[in-house]
Amino acid sequence: MSENNSNHTGKMHFMLWSTPPRATFRQDMTEEERNIMMQHVAYWTDKQHQGIALVFGPVLKDPSAPNGLGIVEVENEAQVSKLIAEDPAVIGGIMTTEFYPMLATLPK
């Protein structure tokens, strides 16, 4: 088993899995939805600059089932719930997000 570097940082890692309201969302967003998604990207970009979001973006595996993926580094699970609750896309009702704990191996 590879070493879990999160033990060295005292941080926890979680995978976020986001689902839009419909399979065609990327192609047929309304102007309001597009504005919310711009706020969503800005929100997670800010979290990335703070060192919280390690990576995030759309997963291009299956066009009929679009999803977004994020990996975050936090102090505790409650912080993940708060990050999701404050996401403009979640607030705007155009995205649902689940999260799962990870045993992340990070570069040294």
Side-chain angles (χ1 to χ4, degrees), residues 3 13 23 26-27 34 36 40 45 49 55 63 70 74 84 87:
E3 183 177 298
H13 297 89
R26 285 182 54 137
Q27 293 80 32
R34 191 171 313 283
I36 291 170
H40 164 76
T45 299
H49 292 155
V55 65
V74 295
I84 292 169
D87 180 342

Side-chain angles (χ1 to χ4, degrees), residues 44-105:
W44 286 107
T45 299
D46 180 57
K47 299 305 177 202
Q48 192 172 52
H49 292 155
Q50 294 176 33
I52 296 168
L54 302 181
V55 65
F56 70 93
V59 176
L60 305 176
K61 179 183 178 226
D62 183 357
S64 68
N67 291 97
L69 173 84
I71 306 294
V72 297
E73 182 176 77
V74 295
E75 302 291 332
N76 56 59
E77 188 172 324
Q79 189 178 357
V80 182
S81 296
K82 185 175 187 300
L83 287 166
I84 292 169
E86 293 175 353
D87 180 342
V90 172
I91 293 168
I94 61 170
M95 192 165 290
T96 58
T97 302
E98 303 170 9
F99 66 94
Y100 306 95
M102 285 185 69
L103 295 177
T105 300

